[in-house]
Amino acid sequence: MTVIAEYGQILLILACVFGLFMAWGVGANDVANAMGTSVGSKALTIKQAIIIAMIFEFLGAYLAGGAVTATIRKGIIDPAIMAGTPELLVYGMLSALLAAGTWLMIASILGWPVSTTHSIVGAIVGFAAVGISVEAVAWSKVLSIVASWVVSPMLAGTMAFWIFRSVQRLILNTEDPFSSAQRYIPFYMFAVGFLIAMVTILKGLKHVFKDSGFSLSFLQSAGVSTILGLVVAIIGVYFLRNIKRDEANDSGNRFANVERLFAILMVFTACAMAFAHGSNDVANAVGPLAAIISVIKTGSVTTTSAMPSWVLLIGGAGIVIGLATYGFKVMATIGKKITELTPSRGFAAELAAAATVVFASGTGLPISTTHTLVGAVLGVGLARGIGALNLRVVGSIFMSWIVTLPAGAGLAILFFFMFKGIFG
């Protein structure tokens, strides 16, 4: 207890700095994934994508990030084990934030899209297993997270493959692609409206519902989303009528006018995915921070801790700064280096990613948003043949995924003993 009483103020300042650094990493790496398809397909410029992400990621993180957070995300370790030594939880969470933030910075500089959740999970597993005891870690939870490396990209890739195949068959490979697009895009708009509403309800507003004691079953969420999907389709039909065929565009590329229609859809999906991502993944940065604040204030370890609104503000601000300063690197990898994207291909990838998130939320499958989106982009590339993929880039992305957990763990162990040596 004397450690917390003596160094509480310093530990709190360090926690805020490391929390901001981790949120910066989430912005630089993860948010860039959500926007990469929109930028790569030229539906949005980098500047527009950053502005949209800044607004919707921040709103998601601040308004829907949750007032209460589990002390340790995903139930990987039981905080009760450290009840007698609360300072160990403080050292551990500081080291986890610094380790995950450092790994995300390295990955972002190299342009690797890695999972922020896996980075923080790896860091927590590292300090808990080595610094406390191997029994402190719920290894079954860790295994389910490792399983998501395979589940996420395969599921999203398969969906993206068939969604893009349907776009090819119904629209792109017809006699008159523009007329076919006007006929079938309202159905895709319904799918966008439905799935994005589901993502927003299941992921984006999850914490708000939980805090207010309000709950919707999966079927009720589907009912509300169906109505919203119909509204989006009706609004979409109105806009589609106002888009006239530009013969000059068609002369250079017979799909140019069709791609203009898909570009409108991509703005919809980009906004909603950013909101859902901000609300869900801000916890990777602010969860450990809230745990540290709780221990320093109360001197004891609890399984959940209140989330002061200024902590969500730190998370939201860090995400926005990370995206604005370094997001372009990972955006380029997702949007341009895996396969060449157009608005119709980018749309298929984002719709598949949203569908995967909804399916996983309904069935309890462990998924990673990063792996989901990369898998969806791969699926769209495969729909055009294996030659459409840059296999060297794909290989380096897979390697970075495998390295993420051990890298987070190794750095966290190093930092844990460093903090223990300084303050212990």
Side-chain angles (χ1 to χ4, degrees):
M1 249 333 284
T2 50
V3 173
I4 290 168
E6 198 176 339
Y7 300 112
Q9 206 63 40
I10 296 168
L11 292 168
L12 191 60
I13 292 164
L14 284 175
C16 291
V17 171
F18 296 162
L20 186 69
F21 178 47
M22 171 64 187
W24 178 90
V26 173
N29 200 288
D30 237 18
V31 178
N33 297 331
M35 289 287 147
T37 45
S38 307
V39 172
S41 64
K42 298 185 175 65
L44 293 169
T45 63
I46 283 198
K47 198 174 176 182
Q48 288 167 335
I50 286 173
I51 291 166
I52 284 177
M54 278 177 165
I55 295 165
F56 286 93
E57 286 276 346
F58 186 80
L59 288 175
Y62 188 65
L63 299 177
V68 176
T69 180
T71 299
I72 291 153
R73 293 259 299 162
K74 314 278 184 195
I76 300 154
I77 58 173
D78 180 5
I81 289 169
M82 288 166 281
T85 50
E87 68 276 7
L88 289 185
L89 181 65
V90 174
Y91 303 152
M93 287 304 170
L94 282 173
S95 58
L97 284 172
L98 186 56
T102 304
W103 171 244
L104 288 173
M105 180 177 73
I106 294 165
S108 301
I109 289 167
L110 295 168
W112 291 342
V114 298
S115 167
T116 53
T117 306
H118 291 183
S119 305
I120 197 79
V121 164
I124 290 171
V125 167
F127 95 75
V130 176
I132 294 148
S133 79
V134 176
E135 285 78 46
V137 180
W139 292 105
S140 58
K141 293 271 170 118
V142 178
L143 281 174
S144 79
I145 289 160
V146 171
S148 75
W149 291 347
V150 182
V151 174
S152 306
M154 281 188 71
L155 199 57
T158 306
M159 285 190 192
F161 178 90
W162 290 111
I163 290 169
F164 188 62
R165 272 292 163 94
S166 74
V167 171
Q168 284 177 319
R169 185 160 181 197
L170 297 172
I171 298 170
L172 300 178
N173 297 343
T174 57
E175 290 281 314
D176 183 358
F178 189 75
S179 298
S180 300
Q182 289 195 309
R183 189 180 312 126
Y184 290 111
I185 278 183
F187 294 101
Y188 288 113
M189 283 187 161
F190 168 76
V192 165
F194 173 78
L195 285 167
I196 291 305
M198 284 293 276
V199 168
T200 308
I201 292 167
L202 295 171
K203 285 277 190 195
L205 297 173
K206 178 173 73 175
H207 306 295
V208 175
F209 288 166
K210 193 175 171 186
D211 296 338
S212 58
F214 174 73
S215 68
L216 285 174
S217 69
F218 193 79
L219 280 174
Q220 287 169 327
S221 302
V224 173
S225 301
T226 302
I227 295 163
L228 290 169
L230 289 168
V231 171
V232 169
I234 292 161
I235 295 168
V237 169
Y238 171 76
F239 278 117
L240 285 175
R241 282 184 181 155
N242 293 334
I243 295 178
K244 300 288 180 261
R245 190 195 300 257
D246 185 341
E247 301 295 345
N249 271 349
D250 270 355
S251 60
N253 173 6
R254 68 189 288 253
F255 301 129
N257 285 309
V258 175
E259 296 295 359
R260 277 167 62 215
L261 302 179
F262 276 107
I264 293 169
L265 280 178
M266 287 210 70
V267 179
F268 266 107
T269 51
C271 295
M273 289 299 270
F275 182 85
H277 177 269
S279 66
N280 210 48
D281 277 22
V282 73
N284 288 329
V286 298
L289 177 52
I292 294 166
I293 292 163
S294 172
V295 172
I296 290 169
K297 269 188 180 172
T298 63
S300 60
V301 176
T302 53
T303 48
T304 58
S305 44
M307 180 79 77
S309 56
W310 62 267
V311 171
L312 285 172
L313 205 59
I314 286 178
I319 284 175
V320 165
I321 297 164
L323 178 77
T325 54
Y326 235 93
F328 66 93
K329 280 262 190 179
V330 178
M331 267 190 210
T333 302
I334 294 270
K336 295 178 180 156
K337 292 183 181 173
I338 297 174
T339 188
E340 191 190 338
L341 289 178
T342 60
S344 56
R345 294 170 200 159
F347 160 75
E350 280 199 356
L351 191 64
T356 307
V357 169
V358 171
F359 181 72
S361 297
T363 54
L365 278 172
I367 62 151
S368 153
T369 42
T370 304
H371 299 187
T372 301
L373 204 79
V374 170
V377 172
L378 286 174
V380 167
L382 278 173
R384 294 163 51 234
I386 193 93
L389 294 174
N390 184 336
L391 295 176
R392 195 174 60 81
V393 171
V394 173
S396 69
I397 288 172
F398 283 155
M399 276 307 299
S400 72
W401 288 357
I402 293 164
V403 172
T404 294
L405 267 181
L411 287 167
I413 292 162
L414 196 72
F415 294 139
F416 180 76
F417 287 108
M418 183 182 84
F419 289 129
K420 208 172 166 186
I422 293 168
F423 297 106

